Amino acid sequence: MSLAREVPVGATTAIRASWFRGFISNPWAKPRFLAGFTWLYIIWSIAPVVIAVQISFNAGRSRSSFQGFSLQWYQGIFDRASENFDATLLAALGQSLKLAVITMPIATILGVGLAIGLARWRGRGSGSANALMLFPLVTPELVMGTALFLIFANLFDTFVKLGTTAQVLGHVTFSLSYVVIVTRGRLFAIGREYEEAAMDLGASPGQALRRILLPLLAPAIFASLFIVFAISIDDFVISAFLCIEGCTTIPIKIYSAARNAGNPSLNALASIMLVSSLMAITFAVLILRAFNRRQGNTRSAVEDFARLEI
Amino acid sequence: MVFHPRDPAYRRSLTRRDFLRRSLATGVALPSAAAILAACGPGGPGGGAGTGNTPEVRFGTPDKPVELQLFEDNAAIASELEPEAGPLVIYNWENYTWKQVLKDFGKEFGVEVKYETFYNLEEAVAKIQTGEVTFDVFFPTMDVLPKLVAAKLAQPLNHDYIPNLSNIWPSLQDPFYDLGSRYSVPYTIYHTGFGWRTDLLPLEVEEVAAMSNPYDIFWEHGPVGKTAVYDVPRDALAMAMYHLEGSAADPNTVDPAKIEAAKNALIELDDRVGLEVNIDIAYVQIPEGRMALSQSWSGDMLATPWYAADPAAEAGSFRYYWPARDGFGGVIDNDLYAILKGAKNPVLAHHFLNFMLDNFNAMKNFSWVGYQAPLSALDPADVIANGWPGLEGYFSWEYKGHWDNLLPAVVTDQDLEVATRFHGLPLAEETLWTNAFAEFRAGAS
Amino acid sequence: MAVPGIAWLIILFILPFYAIAAVAFGGLDPIFAGPAPTWNPLEWDFTAFRTIVGELVSGGPAQIFFRRTLLYIAIAVSISITVGYPVAYYVSRHGGRLKVLLLTLMIAPFWMSYLMRMLAWVNLLSDSPETPGLINQLLVDATPFFDSPVNWGAGNAAHMTVILGLVYGYIPFFILPLYAALDRIDRSQLDAARDLGGSPRSTFWRVTLPLSKQGILAGTVIIMLPMFGDYYTPDLMSGQNKTRIIGNQINSLIHTQGKAPEGASLTLLLSGFVAILMLYYLISVSRAAREARR
């Protein structure tokens, strides 16, 4: 059947009418509506971020209206002599980064181990171990925060004091599941052939793991590191519950300022975190892209990241 | 499943008997875990004081003032000790002490001062109870102080370090909740009235004073979506009681019927206007224009010009009224300083208290916080109108002209004569209030 | 290999639940009426638990919060699906050269603090006369329908404000897994459907949508379950009583003197409820996986 037909005279109207009918009957065929919808969503999604950054440069003290451009709030974070100087802001920034940096390796190592162990688990109990691993993902943070506070305040108080250590332990617990999920995707994609081939060629399981599997997993491990970073710096509930003194993080400061009078210095802090997170994710994507290129994979690293098929 | 010979799972699969043997061993171990738990007992490491040796919690009332007990194992520090090297750690509400004043103290004593904050008094107390804190100075309310004393979490004060105590109003040097100021020193004093902005609620103070019961302003004039009460059971319910019963209301009542009636009045109001229930309603949300009428502690309203986006334009429209002055009944309350038992710098903490009771430092703090210390040498109205020697140039005093309509928010010692004081209630009675408030907070839908 | 991770989860995840139970069924400390956990199960006291169950059954505060939370979450999840599916669909199917850009923009909000974004919304919606937020500025100045700023916190608008806050905070967590699922759909299956005579619309309804069901389910679970514990979103977006949800109630009970056992009991009940939903999801996932293998 040929799709090319003779167009009779006077058919332009007919063609236009049929296009119109086609549009009405299936508006989703033309992606214009979807495109518009998606861009509207993106604007709605990003607008508050842009506004928050804009306010961080506010010359006045208001958090809702822009009163002129000034760097005073950034100065208030770093510059001791500035009249807006608040030492607790820099302390909060430091604490957030400290928690994130300590949590990253611990969560990643435990999580990768857990993912590999779960994938290779053959016995009974793998189902419940799997469920156990997924539970922190869906447990409301409020529940975990209260529970951890009670445990650290009552049971473990001889070993672990509330504060930074407790916060790290809480963050790791919370992030484990994310690491496992990310690593698992990659594990399934890799399959067992490489390890088995290595063992056929005489490697011990441990060597196969170290020298074959882990390098293959490297992109997932990197991605996990950055995901844990993002989770940790944005965590509010668990950090707040497990903090007594000297361990205030940026989200805690933002929340307490929301319930009292804040000023744009918190916007400045959040903007700094935004930039550092952006840099971290860019770094991660670049590394992923380097890996992809080395393996001849032509897909975009960002796409892989979004699909968690790292 | 085919196992590669080198795969550990292959070897593992041959040792199911080992697995069974191992799990039996765990099974044997479990009861001993139960034994450990049993040893923890009902008291537990974080639990209470065990069987019956609990020190009593002494709540004083203005009619029956109370001396807080002194314990042998919780003695005050000796006199004439050298101040420590710091850093001094203050544990207070957010924005409740001016950092400038802390810096001045730090300069005078050559120490660093840290300011840790809480936004919920119970949470703060819970953290103090864990015993893992090293805060030096705490700011409890008068119903929390006796509990801290009974739990030996606060230490008695050595007045040798605090000569400035005599600066305080005589009536507060020997308060009913802590005769002899054994454990506490007053920090700020404030009354609980209400504030509004005339551009959103066009009423003048005279019109409100002329009402048959000014507390009715909430029920009769509260704008929809712009009316607020405090997220504090005693304050919110007490206001409803004053609305229902006028000056005869008793804000310390334990009559369940009265509490229930107050709760229903609040619920009715909430249904109509959608009350905002929070802590920052007066000093943040009114200046930001998010609220038009709000329950307000006097200090909150005094701080509003500072939080307005354009003080010159807006401060003129802020108002405050405390009905007790015109005989309609009202509450006065004060916050306290206490030094925690676990303080690392008790001598420094005592010096801090003394420093803050100095007239100039107290006024400097007042100029930013809005809450005044009850000092005899002060005439806050005069200060607001004319400034205080040495305090020119501090930014709050720039708003001198904008505070005239907020003069009613200044607390004088005559106010104490017409006010009713809140006092702490024992747990069972306090629970009546918290339960009623919780039901209010559940929302009617 | 999995042992350290499992051990960690047991000590720091399972054991804390036991701590919640110990508080829920425990006593009160005599001075502060704070929680006094009872570790020995033989000495557990169930009064607080019974009170909460009683409230759930008889219409007390716990039931009010539960119903309101379910309502909010149902609406928020529906909105998330309605908004999120077309976006995920567009990016995965019609993204083309802009795909990377679109994905980056979609991931971007993650990198600013959740609380900060919520606060930014509060400021955007502000109806203060001197400093109205952007939304009110646009409505009043740019459209002829509004004379004065709209109070988004008043009356029924407060409910919508909080629900939209929930949607805003969680929808990226819905879109990304859904995008991943949609992207994985084999193009050849869609082409086959078209070849067999399906119109674009019927291809969507009868091929794409069923294939993306797992993705929708995964996304729904990922956003729905944490919403049960969210208490800071209503706190930030609206201070009113009628928008408080179960997370607020748990938080408030735990911090009110004498009420911690009730708060812990409510926590246990909530966790149980969430666990049931979670199990349902796991079962359906394993069923789908089994079918896929067949």
Side-chain angles (χ1 to χ4, degrees):
Chain A
M1 181 173 63
S2 161
L3 290 172
R5 273 180 277 170
E6 281 188 5
V7 179
V9 174
T12 38
T13 345
I15 291 176
R16 254 186 248 129
S18 74
W19 175 91
F20 186 66
R21 232 180 296 128
F23 180 78
I24 291 290
S25 72
N26 188 5
W28 300 77
K30 295 272 183 210
R32 275 194 224 123
F33 171 78
L34 276 185
F37 190 82
T38 304
W39 283 105
L40 260 179
Y41 164 79
I42 289 185
I43 294 177
W44 175 69
S45 177
I46 307 253
V49 177
V50 171
I51 304 268
V53 173
Q54 184 205 31
I55 295 285
S56 75
F57 293 105
N58 202 356
R61 244 184 316 113
S62 165
R63 278 182 302 172
S64 15
S65 73
F66 192 61
Q67 296 160 318
F69 184 90
S70 145
L71 285 175
Q72 60 173 334
W73 305 109
Y74 291 91
Q75 282 176 320
I77 299 178
F78 297 108
D79 184 2
R80 264 184 189 268
S82 136
E83 70 169 25
N84 290 320
F85 181 66
D86 183 356
T88 60
L89 294 174
L90 204 51
L93 181 61
Q95 179 75 8
S96 283
L97 287 175
K98 186 162 87 167
L99 285 180
V101 163
I102 301 181
T103 308
M104 274 159 64
I106 303 180
T108 308
I109 295 178
L110 280 174
V112 170
L114 189 52
I116 298 179
L118 279 178
R120 308 279 181 251
W121 193 316
R122 302 224 204 277
R124 284 167 254 154
S126 74
S128 32
N130 209 24
L132 174 64
M133 181 277 297
L134 284 175
F135 253 108
L137 255 187
V138 297
T139 308
E141 270 198 270
L142 175 62
V143 172
M144 287 226 324
T146 326
L148 284 172
F149 174 78
L150 291 170
I151 279 281
F152 285 124
N154 294 298
L155 209 50
F156 292 161
D157 59 352
T158 37
F159 310 118
V160 174
K161 301 263 182 266
L162 288 173
T164 307
T165 321
Q167 285 177 316
V168 167
L169 294 178
H171 282 208
V172 170
T173 313
F174 204 73
S175 320
L176 266 183
S177 316
Y178 291 92
V179 176
V180 172
I181 291 187
V182 168
T183 318
R184 247 207 322 209
R186 180 83 176 148
L187 269 177
F188 285 151
I190 295 175
R192 304 220 57 203
E193 311 95 51
Y194 296 103
E195 279 175 273
E196 287 181 353
M199 290 200 276
D200 278 340
L201 291 171
S204 75
Q207 281 176 317
L209 185 75
R210 267 200 331 273
R211 305 185 68 183
I212 305 294
L213 187 56
L214 285 183
L216 282 175
L217 275 180
I221 297 181
F222 267 114
S224 306
L225 282 173
F226 292 112
I227 291 180
V228 171
F229 178 81
I231 292 174
S232 177
I233 55 176
D234 200 17
D235 176 72
F236 164 65
V237 178
I238 296 204
S239 311
F241 272 83
L242 297 179
C243 178
I244 298 229
E245 56 166 325
C247 44
T248 312
T249 59
I250 294 180
I252 296 178
K253 274 226 90 83
I254 295 180
Y255 184 75
S256 70
R259 315 198 77 213
N260 304 280
N263 57 34
S265 58
L266 289 151
N267 294 57
L269 257 189
S271 306
I272 294 178
M273 294 308 302
L274 171 69
V275 168
S276 49
S277 308
L278 274 175
M279 292 200 303
I281 185 67
T282 314
F283 188 55
V285 167
L286 287 175
I287 293 190
L288 285 178
R289 198 183 293 176
F291 268 108
N292 277 351
R293 226 174 283 145
R294 242 199 304 154
Q295 292 170 16
N297 187 347
T298 50
R299 277 186 17 159
S300 144
V302 175
E303 281 182 56
D304 278 348
F305 195 86
R307 289 178 50 168
L308 286 184
E309 268 176 16
I310 314 139
Chain B
M1 268 258 149
V2 180
F3 292 123
H4 192 282
R6 281 241 171 85
D7 190 332
Y10 175 69
R11 270 173 261 140
R12 260 187 270 141
S13 67
L14 295 176
T15 57
R16 262 182 79 207
R17 215 179 284 157
D18 275 346
F19 177 76
L20 286 171
R21 249 185 275 138
R22 255 179 270 140
S23 53
L24 271 177
T26 337
V28 165
L30 272 176
S32 21
I36 296 175
L37 292 178
C40 289
T51 50
N53 278 355
T54 327
E56 55 159 328
V57 181
R58 296 189 186 161
F59 292 111
T61 72
D63 301 323
K64 288 206 212 101
V66 94
E67 269 179 350
L68 294 173
Q69 55 278 60
L70 291 166
F71 301 101
E72 279 158 8
D73 53 350
N74 186 9
I77 56 175
S79 307
E80 293 179 38
L81 294 174
E82 280 302 308
E84 302 89 353
L88 183 70
V89 184
I90 315 276
Y91 195 37
N92 201 354
W93 301 90
E94 184 95 32
N95 293 329
Y96 204 28
T97 306
W98 195 11
K99 306 269 168 66
Q100 265 308 118
V101 176
L102 300 177
K103 273 197 222 157
D104 292 346
F105 176 78
K107 255 188 284 191
E108 183 170 321
F109 283 82
V111 295
E112 193 194 332
V113 181
K114 289 204 195 148
Y115 192 77
E116 297 277 341
T117 61
F118 54 88
Y119 42 82
N120 183 315
L121 196 54
E122 265 109 18
E123 231 179 86
V125 168
K127 291 195 171 154
I128 294 177
Q129 270 182 289
T130 63
E132 293 178 31
V133 301
T134 56
F135 305 131
D136 298 305
V137 182
F138 184 49
F139 291 74
T141 48
M142 72 172 76
D143 52 338
V144 171
L145 181 70
K147 300 181 197 169
L148 288 174
V149 169
K152 299 189 199 156
L153 292 171
Q155 56 173 282
L157 301 177
N158 182 337
H159 289 191
D160 291 344
Y161 293 101
I162 321 182
N164 284 339
L165 201 52
S166 52
N167 287 351
I168 296 202
W169 293 345
S171 44
L172 281 179
Q173 287 182 34
D174 221 8
F176 63 87
Y177 51 85
D178 184 15
L179 279 178
S181 286
R182 283 184 176 177
Y183 284 91
S184 71
V185 160
Y187 176 47
T188 58
I189 190 158
Y190 48 90
H191 27 73
T192 309
F194 45 85
W196 69 97
R197 33 187 313 161
T198 47
D199 52 354
L200 293 175
L201 178 62
L203 281 176
E204 269 309 330
V205 174
E206 297 78 36
E207 298 170 77
V208 177
M211 292 170 73
S212 55
N213 182 350
Y215 289 102
D216 291 345
I217 189 177
F218 283 84
W219 280 261
E220 289 171 26
H221 299 281
V224 171
K226 288 193 167 294
T227 313
V229 299
Y230 276 126
D231 186 10
V232 180
R234 300 288 301 272
D235 291 64
L237 287 168
M239 185 179 76
M241 285 178 191
Y242 278 116
H243 157 68
L244 290 172
E245 304 171 49
S247 54
D250 173 17
N252 297 300
T253 185
V254 294
D255 179 350
K258 297 222 170 102
I259 299 177
E260 179 81 11
K263 174 195 84 173
N264 289 334
L266 280 180
I267 290 183
E268 189 267 320
L269 181 60
D270 189 22
D271 280 346
R272 255 189 311 119
V273 306
L275 286 172
E276 166 91 9
V277 186
N278 216 326
I279 282 289
D280 66 341
I281 43 183
Y283 76 103
V284 174
Q285 298 203 37
I286 288 193
E288 281 183 8
R290 283 155 57 192
M291 287 297 129
L293 168 68
S294 161
Q295 193 176 22
S296 172
W297 295 310
S298 54
D300 269 2
M301 224 36 218
L302 271 176
T304 47
W306 166 237
Y307 292 101
D310 185 1
E314 301 180 65
S317 56
F318 301 149
R319 300 282 183 278
Y320 175 83
Y321 183 68
W322 184 52
R325 283 205 187 104
D326 293 327
F328 296 104
V331 171
I332 275 192
D333 205 355
N334 63 289
D335 283 345
L336 321 164
Y337 299 94
I339 300 185
L340 294 177
K341 177 107 174 25
K344 289 235 165 88
N345 308 284
V347 181
L348 212 52
H350 279 83
H351 283 296
F352 179 74
L353 263 49
N354 193 48
F355 179 86
M356 294 298 287
L357 289 175
D358 169 71
N359 291 327
F360 179 77
N361 297 322
M363 286 309 291
K364 187 164 168 181
N365 197 31
F366 170 44
S367 76
W368 184 85
V369 175
Y371 283 86
Q372 69 205 68
L375 302 174
S376 318
L378 264 38
D379 179 1
D382 175 64
V383 167
I384 288 178
N386 304 318
W388 180 265
L391 278 178
E392 296 87 5
Y394 285 105
F395 41 70
S396 306
W397 299 117
E398 284 169 29
Y399 303 134
K400 254 185 353 205
H402 307 306
W403 281 17
D404 301 341
N405 39 283
L406 289 173
L407 276 179
V410 168
V411 185
T412 64
D413 48 2
Q414 286 104 27
D415 290 339
L416 273 180
E417 292 161 31
V418 291
T420 319
R421 307 284 323 250
F422 271 136
H423 54 82
L425 293 169
L427 179 63
E429 283 81 6
E430 183 87 32
T431 309
L432 291 172
W433 289 78
T434 45
N435 279 348
F437 195 66
E439 284 170 48
F440 161 62
R441 286 288 263 151
S445 89
Chain C
M1 273 241 74
V3 167
I6 299 278
W8 183 287
L9 282 176
I10 291 184
I11 299 179
L12 284 169
F13 185 73
I14 300 293
L15 197 54
F17 272 96
Y18 190 74
I20 298 189
V23 168
F25 308 129
L28 295 174
D29 106 51
I31 298 180
F32 290 98
T38 307
W39 301 103
N40 188 346
L42 300 172
E43 292 167 19
W44 277 352
D45 165 18
F46 292 94
T47 18
F49 191 76
R50 276 198 295 258
T51 313
I52 289 288
V53 175
E55 279 184 20
L56 277 176
V57 168
S58 71
Q63 192 198 80
I64 297 180
F65 282 109
F66 210 68
R67 275 200 325 232
R68 191 185 297 146
T69 312
L70 284 174
L71 181 65
Y72 275 21
I73 292 185
I75 300 181
V77 169
S78 313
I79 298 181
S80 302
I81 298 181
T82 323
V83 171
Y85 195 98
V87 174
Y89 183 79
Y90 175 74
V91 176
S92 73
R93 289 270 286 135
H94 301 287
R97 281 171 303 182
L98 293 178
K99 212 181 209 182
V100 173
L101 173 66
L102 286 171
L103 280 176
T104 317
L105 286 175
M106 287 201 316
I107 303 181
F110 280 123
W111 310 123
M112 174 165 265
S113 163
Y114 177 93
L115 293 173
M116 198 74 245
R117 286 182 284 139
M118 284 301 143
L119 265 190
W121 264 113
V122 172
N123 295 324
L124 270 174
L125 292 173
S126 158
D127 69 330
S128 145
E130 276 81 23
T131 55
L134 200 59
I135 303 272
N136 274 318
Q137 282 177 33
L138 285 173
L139 285 177
V140 172
D141 298 331
T143 66
F145 304 119
F146 296 95
D147 289 325
S148 56
V150 174
N151 186 352
W152 298 101
N156 284 322
H159 291 294
M160 276 323 289
T161 309
V162 172
I163 292 179
L164 278 178
L166 285 172
V167 171
Y168 181 79
Y170 289 100
I171 200 171
F173 293 97
F174 177 78
I175 293 185
L176 279 177
L178 186 57
Y179 162 80
L182 281 171
D183 209 37
R184 268 189 219 121
I185 293 180
D186 201 346
R187 284 307 133 85
S188 53
Q189 287 183 307
L190 300 174
D191 289 339
R194 296 297 299 273
D195 282 342
L196 289 170
S199 71
R201 180 153 63 153
S202 74
T203 312
F204 174 75
W205 278 111
R206 306 180 72 179
V207 183
T208 314
L209 197 53
L211 282 176
S212 55
K213 233 172 28 164
Q214 272 304 311
I216 299 181
L217 191 58
T220 308
V221 165
I222 289 181
I223 60 173
M224 181 164 71
L225 296 174
M227 276 191 201
F228 277 102
D230 190 319
Y231 66 93
Y232 33 89
T233 306
D235 250 356
L236 289 173
M237 303 294 284
S238 154
Q240 297 186 34
N241 294 336
K242 59 181 186 242
T243 55
R244 296 176 76 229
I245 52 181
I246 205 165
N248 297 104
Q249 176 70 338
I250 291 180
N251 196 32
S252 136
L253 282 176
I254 294 215
H255 291 124
T256 306
Q257 59 173 11
K259 297 231 168 237
E262 286 180 36
S265 306
L266 196 53
T267 309
L268 284 177
L269 288 167
L270 179 68
S271 309
F273 182 77
V274 166
I276 294 178
L277 292 178
M278 172 64 172
L279 276 172
Y280 167 74
Y281 170 69
L282 280 177
I283 292 177
S284 82
V285 160
S286 65
R287 206 179 297 150
R290 245 180 288 135
E291 279 180 28
R293 256 181 266 143
R294 250 189 270 128

